[in-house]
Amino acid sequence: MNEPQASELNPTREDFAALLEESLEASSLEEGSVVKGTIVAIEKDMAVVDVGLKTEGRVPVKEFTLPGQEATLSVGDEVEVYLERVENALGEAVLSREKARREESWVRLEEKFKNGERCEGVIFNRVKGGFTVDLDGAVAFLPGSQVDIRPVRDIGPLMNTPQPFQILKMDRRRGNIVVSRRSVLEETRAEQRNEIVAQLAEKQVIEGVVKNITDYGAFIDLGGIDGLLHVTDMAWRRVSHPSEIVNVGDSVKVQIIRINPETQRISLGIKQLEADPWEGVEAKYPIDTRIKGTVTNITDYGAFVELESGVEGLIHISEMSWTKKNVHPGKIVSTSQEVEVQVLEVDPQKRRISLGLKQIQENPWIAFAESHAAGTKVEGAIRNITEFGLFIGLDSGVDGMVHLSDLDWSRSGEEAIQGYKKGDVVKAVVLEADAEKERISLGIKQLGGDPLKSDGGLKKGARVTCEILAVMDRGLEVKLSDSDIKTFIRRSDLSRERSEQKPERFAAGEKVDAVITQVDTATRKVSVSIKALEAVEEKEAIKQYGSTVSGASLGDILGAALDEAKDGTGDAAEEAKAKPKAKAKKAAKAKDDGGEEAEAEAEAEAEAEAEARPKAKAKKPAKTKDDADAGAKPKAKAKKTAKAKDDGGEEAGDDGEGGEA
C-alpha cells in the first residue's frame, strides 16, 4: 500500500487554486447562460434553486408557470434557469426562470418562423395599439387589427386563453416579435369555405339566416359561409331599403345565383323563386295604350310608375308637360300619386317601359297653331328677357319669342330691348307657329308695317319733310317727320347752286323739304336730297307750262304762265288764284286794275320783297307745285325780260316785267 506523500498531506495554496479552477470548469457555470438546477426548498412565493457547487439562488414561483395558471412545483424538481450572476452581495446566485424560458422560446420560435408554422400563446395584457402575448416565455405584440377578421368589441373572452398565432415579424436584436390571430382564422375559414363551396351549385335553393343588413343588401349565413342578397334581387318590384323585405335573424329561403370560384363570393336572390312578371310584357302593354299606375319614386330625370307588382315604367322629365320644361318632376307629380300615362316604348330585354304623361293632355302648341295663323295679333306678359330676344306668355301656357331683329324697324335690337322689362304686357304679331318644334315666332315691329316698303309711303321720288337734328361740315343729320328714320343729307345735296351748298345756312330744329333718292330695305337706309327736289320742281314747271311754247326756256315758260294769269284764262290763272306767289299776285293785280302806275307800284313792291328775302328757295324750298310755277330761279326773270326786248314788242316787254315781278 502506497503511503501518501508529505506534499499531498499538506497541499499548498497553489494546489488548492488549481483544484478549485478545475472544479469550476467541470461545473460549466457561466454567467449569461441557461443552466440546470434543483429545487431544494420553497419559501412562500420564492423557490430556492441549487445550480451546483453549493451555489443557490432564489426565483419567484410565478416565473415557473404560464399566465393564468397555478404553479405545480415541489422540492427535488429539476428546472432550467438563466444564470445572470454567480454571486451577488449576499453570496447568492442571481437566477431567472423567465429569461431561461425566453431563450428557449426564441430558439423554437425562430425555427417556426422560418418554416411558416403556427405557435401557441396567451393574450395576457392590453397595450397601446394592441395586446401582449406570451409565447411560452417570449413576449410578442398582437396589433388590434390582427385580433379577428371583424373588429372585436369585447376582448375579455380571449384573454388568458391558449390560442394559435402566426408569427409575422421577428427581430432578436431588438427583442421584437409581432404575431397575428386573424391570419390563422382566415386560413381556417378558407378551408371551411372550400369545403362548403364544394357542396353548393348555382340555381340551388338553400336556407340561411340573415346575419347583417346594409344599404345595398343583406348578408345571409349559409352555415359557415356568407352570401350576399343584393337589394335588386330581393323582389321584382323596386325596393328602397333591404329592411323592407328582411330583418336580422330571419330565416329565409334563397336561390344561389352565382358563385365566384376565385373569390368564393356567393350571390343570392329571393325574387328568382317567383315568376318573372316581365314575361309577355309587350303583349300586356302595347304602344299608345293608356293605363293607370302609382308613382313609386321621383328622381331628377323623371318619375317611376308601378304598372303592376314588379313592373315599372319611367316618365322622363321631357314627357311630363308640354310647357313646363325646366322644373323638377316633384313639382308635377308626387310619390304614391295615381296617374294616367301612355305607353311610348317597351323593351323587354332591358326591362324598360317608357311612359308619357303629357300625351294624355291636349297639345297646346298644336291648338295655338290651329287657332293663330301667321299675322294674328296676340297680347301677353314678358316672362323672360334674354340676350337674343323676349319671351312672351301666350294662351294655354305656351311661350312665344320676339327676336331682337323683330323689335323695331329703325333702332337696333340691343337698343330697342332696353325699353322692355319683365312683366310688361305687350302686343305682337304671330310670324310663325311650328307645333312640331314647339316654337312660336312673334314680331312687335310688324304691328306698324315696314316704313321702307312701298305701301308704307317711303319710296324713291317721294317728297318728305325732314327735321334737322345736327349741322355738320359735311352735311345735315335729319329725321323724317312722319317716322323715326334718321338719315344724312350730304353737302352736295343741299342745293343745285354750288354757292348755296353751305350747311351753316341751316340750324338744328328747322324743317326742310327733300326728295327720297334711294331706299335700301336690306341695310335699312334712306337717302334724301334737297338738290333733287329743286330738279323735280323745275321739271314739273316745264311739263305744265312749257308744252304750248316749242323750244322755250324756263323763263319763257314762266312768262307764258304769267300771261295766262293776266288774261285770266287757262289752268295757270286758276292755280295762281288758288295759291298765288307774291310776284305773280302783284303782276296780275296791276294788269286787272288797268293802270301803268298801279303796275309799276306792284313791281316795286315785288322787287322790295325779293331783296328782303333773298335766296328763299334755297333756304326753304317750295312745298307745292304752284310755288315753283310762280318762278323759283332769279335768272329766269332776267332771261324773260331780255327775250321780250329782243322781240321788240311792248306786250312782250310787259310780260317780261310781269315775269320778273
Side-chain angles (χ1 to χ4, degrees), residues 143-404:
S145 60
Q146 298 296 323
V147 175
D148 205 328
I149 297 175
R150 294 185 178 88
V152 179
R153 296 182 180 179
D154 185 11
I155 196 67
L158 301 178
M159 298 287 287
N160 301 321
T161 302
Q163 299 177 67
F165 295 92
Q166 187 75 35
I167 300 175
L168 302 179
K169 181 180 178 182
M170 290 189 70
D171 187 346
R172 186 159 189 172
R173 183 174 64 84
R174 295 183 177 180
N176 293 337
I177 302 176
V178 180
V179 296
S180 172
R181 179 175 175 268
R182 175 178 177 175
S183 59
V184 176
L185 296 177
E186 288 179 345
E187 291 180 8
T188 304
R189 185 180 179 185
E191 294 174 0
Q192 294 176 353
R193 288 174 65 92
N194 292 334
E195 295 177 1
I196 297 173
V197 170
Q199 300 174 2
L200 300 177
E202 293 184 0
K203 295 187 178 181
Q204 179 182 350
V205 179
I206 189 173
E207 192 168 345
V209 179
V210 180
K211 189 175 182 179
N212 189 24
I213 294 178
T214 64
D215 292 337
Y216 55 86
F219 288 95
I220 310 299
D221 186 2
L222 304 178
I225 187 172
D226 293 345
L228 175 62
L229 175 61
H230 199 269
V231 66
T232 57
D233 292 316
M234 289 184 173
W236 290 109
R237 64 179 178 86
R238 179 178 297 273
V239 179
S240 301
H241 194 271
S243 58
E244 297 178 9
I245 306 298
V246 295
N247 296 311
V248 176
D250 290 352
S251 180
V252 294
K253 186 178 289 186
V254 294
Q255 184 182 64
I256 298 175
I257 302 174
R258 195 180 309 104
I259 298 177
N260 191 327
E262 296 181 0
T263 61
Q264 294 185 344
R265 291 182 178 177
I266 302 174
S267 299
L268 306 174
I270 294 179
K271 71 179 185 180
Q272 285 75 10
L273 300 175
E274 303 174 357
D276 188 355
W278 283 87
E279 293 181 1
V281 72
E282 284 181 297
K284 292 181 182 178
Y285 307 104
I287 295 177
D288 294 335
T289 302
R290 294 189 175 185
I291 188 173
K292 291 185 178 180
T294 304
V295 179
T296 58
N297 189 28
I298 297 176
T299 64
D300 292 337
Y301 53 86
F304 288 92
V305 177
E306 185 180 40
L307 305 180
E308 64 175 83
S309 180
V311 178
E312 288 185 343
L314 172 66
I315 307 175
H316 194 265
I317 187 172
S318 61
E319 304 295 341
M320 285 191 163
S321 175
W322 291 109
T323 57
K324 298 177 182 178
K325 299 297 183 182
N326 299 319
V327 298
H328 192 272
K331 295 184 178 180
I332 301 177
V333 296
S334 57
T335 306
S336 302
Q337 178 184 350
E338 186 178 22
V339 294
E340 185 178 6
V341 293
Q342 181 173 317
V343 179
L344 304 180
E345 183 182 358
V346 179
D347 190 344
Q349 283 73 29
K350 295 183 179 180
R351 296 176 177 268
R352 293 178 181 174
I353 298 179
S354 297
L355 304 174
L357 183 63
K358 68 182 183 181
Q359 287 76 8
I360 305 298
Q361 307 166 358
E362 181 184 9
N363 189 342
W365 299 96
I366 296 177
F368 185 90
E370 291 177 351
S371 60
H372 296 77
T376 305
K377 295 182 179 180
V378 294
E379 184 177 350
I382 298 176
R383 291 188 176 179
N384 193 18
I385 300 178
T386 65
E387 59 183 6
F388 48 83
L390 307 176
F391 284 92
I392 300 176
L394 304 174
D395 298 339
S396 303
V398 298
D399 288 350
M401 190 192 77
V402 182
H403 194 267
L404 288 177

Side-chain angles (χ1 to χ4, degrees), residues 517-562:
T517 58
Q518 184 179 4
V519 177
D520 191 340
T521 58
T523 59
R524 312 295 304 171
K525 290 184 178 180
V526 177
S527 299
V528 298
S529 172
I530 299 175
K531 176 181 177 180
L533 177 62
E534 295 176 355
V536 170
E537 290 176 342
E538 181 177 325
K539 288 180 181 179
E540 289 179 351
I542 294 173
K543 182 179 179 181
Q544 183 170 359
Y545 301 110
S547 59
T548 59
V549 184
S550 177
S553 65
L554 179 60
D556 297 335
I557 295 170
L558 294 175
L562 290 175

Side-chain angles (χ1 to χ4, degrees), residues 409-632:
W409 289 113
S410 57
R411 294 183 295 171
S412 65
E414 291 77 6
E415 181 183 357
I417 202 172
Q418 300 299 325
Y420 298 92
K421 62 180 181 296
K422 192 173 181 180
D424 288 351
V425 178
V426 297
K427 294 182 179 180
V429 175
V430 177
L431 303 181
E432 182 185 5
D434 192 335
E436 183 178 352
K437 295 182 179 179
E438 297 184 354
R439 183 184 303 164
I440 299 174
S441 298
L442 304 176
I444 293 179
K445 71 180 184 182
Q446 287 80 2
L447 289 170
D450 189 353
L452 298 188
K453 290 186 178 180
S454 58
D455 56 356
L458 294 181
K459 54 185 177 180
K460 187 176 180 180
R463 300 186 182 186
V464 292
T465 301
C466 306
E467 180 183 351
I468 300 175
L469 300 179
V471 179
M472 305 178 185
D473 291 340
R474 54 191 181 90
L476 305 178
E477 183 182 351
V478 299
K479 182 183 74 170
L480 304 188
S481 298
D482 296 336
S483 65
D484 293 331
I485 298 177
K486 297 178 181 179
T487 185
F488 191 82
I489 303 177
R490 296 177 300 175
R491 188 186 189 102
S492 59
D493 287 324
L494 294 179
S495 178
R496 297 182 67 182
E497 300 294 334
R498 294 183 61 87
S499 60
E500 302 298 327
Q501 295 176 354
K502 299 177 180 179
E504 57 269 17
R505 294 193 302 112
F506 303 89
E510 291 184 355
K511 292 185 177 180
V512 295
D513 290 342
V515 170
I516 297 177
T517 58
Q518 184 179 4
V519 177
D520 191 340
T521 58
T523 59
R524 312 295 304 171
K525 290 184 178 180
V526 177
S527 299
V528 298
S529 172
I530 299 175
K531 176 181 177 180
L533 177 62
E534 295 176 355
V536 170
E537 290 176 342
E538 181 177 325
K539 288 180 181 179
E540 289 179 351
I542 294 173
K543 182 179 179 181
Q544 183 170 359
Y545 301 110
S547 59
T548 59
V549 184
S550 177
S553 65
L554 179 60
D556 297 335
I557 295 170
L558 294 175
L562 290 175
D563 288 342
E564 292 180 2
K566 292 175 182 179
D567 295 337
T569 61
D571 296 335
E574 294 179 4
E575 290 182 11
K577 292 178 182 179
K579 295 182 179 181
K581 281 288 187 179
K583 291 179 286 185
K585 183 177 180 181
K586 294 292 183 179
K589 186 175 185 302
K591 186 169 184 178
D592 293 338
D593 295 339
E596 294 181 357
E597 183 179 354
E599 184 177 357
E601 182 181 356
E603 290 177 357
E605 290 179 8
E607 290 175 358
E609 183 179 356
E611 291 176 0
R613 295 173 61 190
K615 308 289 193 259
K617 184 183 64 178
K619 282 187 82 173
K620 190 173 182 181
K623 296 182 180 179
T624 64
K625 181 173 68 175
D626 298 329
D627 296 338
D629 295 340

